[in-house]
Amino acid sequence: ILRNSAQEQLDTHGAETQSATDAVPRRLTATVFIDGLDSDRACERTGKLLAHIQRIGVTPVVLLTSNTSDGSHAQAGYRGIIKRVHQLADAIEREGGKARPINEGIFFNNPYTPSDLSVDPELIGAAIAQGQTPIISPLMADSALQVKVLKTPLAAPALARALALSTSTQHAMAGSRGEFSLLLARLILLGRHDGLTNGDESVFHRFINLEEDYREMAAGCKQTGQLDLMRTCLGILPPTAAGIVASVDSDPSLVLKGLISERPVSTQHKSAAQRVQRDRDAAQRKLQRSRLAVPDYKPLPNYPFVRVGGSLGAATVPQEPVATPTQFTLLRHGFQIQRHNKVDSCNLPRLRGLLESSFKRTLDGGQYFDRLRALESAGGIEIIIAGDYQGAVIVTHEPLPSSDTHLPYLDKFAVLPSAQGTGMADILWAQLRRACPSCMWRSRNDNGVNRWYFDRSNGHFRSPAPKPNETGTRWVFFWYQSQTPGQRTLTADEIHAGIGVSQSIAPSFV
């Protein structure tokens, strides 16, 4: 899945194409920076994670980072790095993976680069060609053959530049079975923290659009060094690469899910919590039936206003504590964001082109934009544009019948085909959640995006299918609710009324 996704994303962004006779094969890789291997347990857990990444067809290129001062010749620091590199390689191989420690020959002085530092990718390519995970020490011999321990802000960007260059078929790596280029999917930073937080750790940042959020984040982020490093390296790597900041003690299964799906951790937590709750509910019903001989009636899972069954009485299932999934922060280099509350302040031809390209249908522009203009002075509208009209979210505040309140309604969510794979959808979704803490929308029952919506919603309702002699569309109505105390949430009555309002909105495409 990850290989096909990354290849499609790369082709979308103008990757080189060659004829079948001279094509260079690509190797799917992830760049991994590790800081915090301070114990044998951390080595074992990180080795397990890297072996699992290798098992799904992705070769990690690992750099052990160091906080040692640049130019240090301290024997303790040198010996400690060498020890950890070999410990990590042994841990990977105990989990069934393959690893190759590389302690020298990678970094060298180059006065023609901004940092005076370059990387020789030959040893890295040799390891990848043999199916091994290269584990690189941040060591370099200077002109006097004295070993230096390189600081992370120097070594990590130099490695990222070399790997980014190797994504081009013109700078392919040499392997034992011929040349190959790299297909970089992820940049992973494993450190001492479960992602990025604010100064007092009261706010955990699950998703960061660096282009838009960096300035605000840098002012209050506790892990400023990690934030700056990810910003620098993601700016070097292809735009399809995503960044993950996690702990060396992270749950390998959760990081692997983020590696494959690119979903922010909040949706991983939601899915895990839903599975746990479903298992508990099933066990509860089974125990109740066995004790009280209750007939096995099936509930109505898609209707939010009907509660099937009453109290379960005294029959209970012992609930064992469930560990909270390890958190991580997902980062994208991202896009600048524009916000509008009037239709005519947008570039309407470009907005229309975006909507038509995304939905692959012709927009009834006159009727649609007139509807938005009418709502400007009623409930209001919010238009969020990402990048150079590469993505957009349009929210309308629809008046509810017999009420003074308005329903925040997601009218359009659009991403250009050429921007798919850049994290645009998650960037727009994060902006939507900021603008509208609670929201509702509709989607056709056969829409392929519905699975993505299910992961990000708190509830849904399917409208009945039209009868054979009737015409109409079968919709799925979704909503999400704010989890922040004090922010507005939709009541059951508002959701019920919102379904009727949503269903009555005229189609905007012809």
Side-chain angles (χ1 to χ4, degrees), residues 261-433:
S261 69
E262 298 186 20
R263 285 159 47 192
V265 70
S266 56
T267 62
Q268 310 282 3
H269 289 182
K270 177 176 178 288
S271 299
Q274 286 175 335
R275 287 194 299 271
V276 170
Q277 189 61 45
R278 283 198 299 267
D279 292 344
R280 285 178 174 172
D281 290 346
Q284 189 88 28
R285 289 193 297 270
K286 183 177 180 180
L287 181 60
Q288 176 71 4
R289 289 195 300 270
S290 66
R291 291 185 178 181
L292 304 178
V294 177
D296 187 11
Y297 295 116
K298 291 185 178 180
L300 305 178
N302 293 326
Y303 197 78
F305 312 113
V306 176
R307 182 178 179 182
V308 179
S311 171
L312 293 176
T316 58
V317 177
Q319 296 188 3
E320 297 182 359
V322 179
T324 302
T326 303
Q327 300 184 104
F328 63 84
T329 299
L330 180 67
L331 303 94
R332 286 285 194 173
H333 190 264
F335 303 88
Q336 289 287 347
I337 302 297
Q338 306 174 38
R339 297 173 180 83
H340 304 267
N341 54 22
K342 292 186 179 297
V343 177
D344 294 316
S345 66
C346 302
N347 186 326
L348 294 186
R350 299 200 66 186
L351 181 58
R352 177 173 183 161
L354 165 61
L355 296 176
E356 292 183 342
S357 297
S358 177
F359 286 88
K360 296 181 174 61
R361 300 172 67 187
T362 302
L363 182 74
D364 185 353
Q367 180 269 336
Y368 179 67
F369 292 134
D370 284 345
R371 184 180 108 80
L372 294 183
R373 290 186 185 97
L375 286 168
E376 286 177 6
S377 57
I381 65 171
E382 296 172 72
I383 302 176
I384 302 170
I385 307 292
D388 191 20
Y389 283 82
Q390 292 156 288
V393 165
I394 301 176
V395 176
T396 59
H397 294 268
E398 306 286 341
L400 293 176
S402 304
S403 172
D404 295 332
T405 60
H406 292 79
L407 173 75
Y409 174 74
L410 175 57
D411 191 271
K412 293 289 181 287
F413 191 98
V415 176
L416 276 182
S418 61
Q420 293 174 2
T422 61
M424 174 66 77
D426 283 323
I427 289 170
L428 287 173
W429 193 260
Q431 295 295 327
L432 170 65
R433 292 297 301 251

Side-chain angles (χ1 to χ4, degrees), residues 69-387:
S69 298
D70 188 28
S72 171
H73 297 69
Q75 287 296 318
Y78 170 82
R79 291 170 64 85
I81 290 171
I82 298 295
K83 175 185 175 181
R84 288 303 183 197
V85 165
H86 286 271
Q87 258 189 320
L88 183 58
D90 291 343
I92 292 172
E93 297 199 346
R94 278 194 293 273
E95 293 292 334
K98 295 180 179 181
R100 178 186 296 190
I102 304 176
N103 293 315
E104 57 184 16
I106 294 293
F107 298 101
F108 63 93
N109 284 317
N110 182 354
Y112 300 104
T113 60
S115 61
D116 294 334
L117 188 68
S118 286
V119 167
D120 184 350
E122 183 176 350
L123 293 177
I124 300 173
I128 295 175
Q130 296 297 322
Q132 300 169 323
T133 294
I135 306 176
I136 304 166
S137 301
L139 305 176
M140 182 188 75
D142 61 16
S143 57
L145 298 183
Q146 295 292 318
V147 176
K148 294 183 177 182
V149 180
L150 298 173
K151 292 176 65 175
T152 302
L154 287 176
L159 179 60
R161 277 192 294 271
L163 297 179
L165 189 64
S166 297
T167 61
S168 167
T169 54
Q170 295 179 353
H171 298 87
M173 289 185 165
S176 57
R177 298 181 181 179
E179 292 186 334
F180 62 91
S181 60
L182 301 184
L183 189 58
L184 292 173
R186 301 291 183 273
L187 171 63
I188 303 173
L189 174 57
L190 300 177
R192 294 176 173 82
H193 303 275
D194 288 353
L196 303 178
T197 64
N198 67 345
D200 59 2
E201 298 188 351
S202 61
V203 177
F204 183 84
H205 301 287
R206 304 185 189 280
F207 180 80
I208 299 174
N209 170 14
L210 288 168
E211 190 70 18
E212 176 72 13
D213 302 334
Y214 173 76
R215 185 172 299 177
E216 178 183 349
M217 283 282 301
C221 182
K222 182 175 182 179
Q223 302 82 14
T224 306
Q226 293 185 350
L227 177 65
D228 290 341
L229 181 65
M230 294 297 284
R231 182 185 184 224
T232 299
C233 293
L234 284 174
I236 294 170
L237 297 178
T240 53
I244 295 173
V245 177
S247 168
V248 291
D249 292 321
S250 293
D251 178 359
S253 63
L254 189 68
V255 177
L256 284 174
K257 289 177 183 177
L259 184 73
I260 295 172
S261 69
E262 298 186 20
R263 285 159 47 192
V265 70
S266 56
T267 62
Q268 310 282 3
H269 289 182
K270 177 176 178 288
S271 299
Q274 286 175 335
R275 287 194 299 271
V276 170
Q277 189 61 45
R278 283 198 299 267
D279 292 344
R280 285 178 174 172
D281 290 346
Q284 189 88 28
R285 289 193 297 270
K286 183 177 180 180
L287 181 60
Q288 176 71 4
R289 289 195 300 270
S290 66
R291 291 185 178 181
L292 304 178
V294 177
D296 187 11
Y297 295 116
K298 291 185 178 180
L300 305 178
N302 293 326
Y303 197 78
F305 312 113
V306 176
R307 182 178 179 182
V308 179
S311 171
L312 293 176
T316 58
V317 177
Q319 296 188 3
E320 297 182 359
V322 179
T324 302
T326 303
Q327 300 184 104
F328 63 84
T329 299
L330 180 67
L331 303 94
R332 286 285 194 173
H333 190 264
F335 303 88
Q336 289 287 347
I337 302 297
Q338 306 174 38
R339 297 173 180 83
H340 304 267
N341 54 22
K342 292 186 179 297
V343 177
D344 294 316
S345 66
C346 302
N347 186 326
L348 294 186
R350 299 200 66 186
L351 181 58
R352 177 173 183 161
L354 165 61
L355 296 176
E356 292 183 342
S357 297
S358 177
F359 286 88
K360 296 181 174 61
R361 300 172 67 187
T362 302
L363 182 74
D364 185 353
Q367 180 269 336
Y368 179 67
F369 292 134
D370 284 345
R371 184 180 108 80
L372 294 183
R373 290 186 185 97
L375 286 168
E376 286 177 6
S377 57
I381 65 171
E382 296 172 72
I383 302 176
I384 302 170
I385 307 292

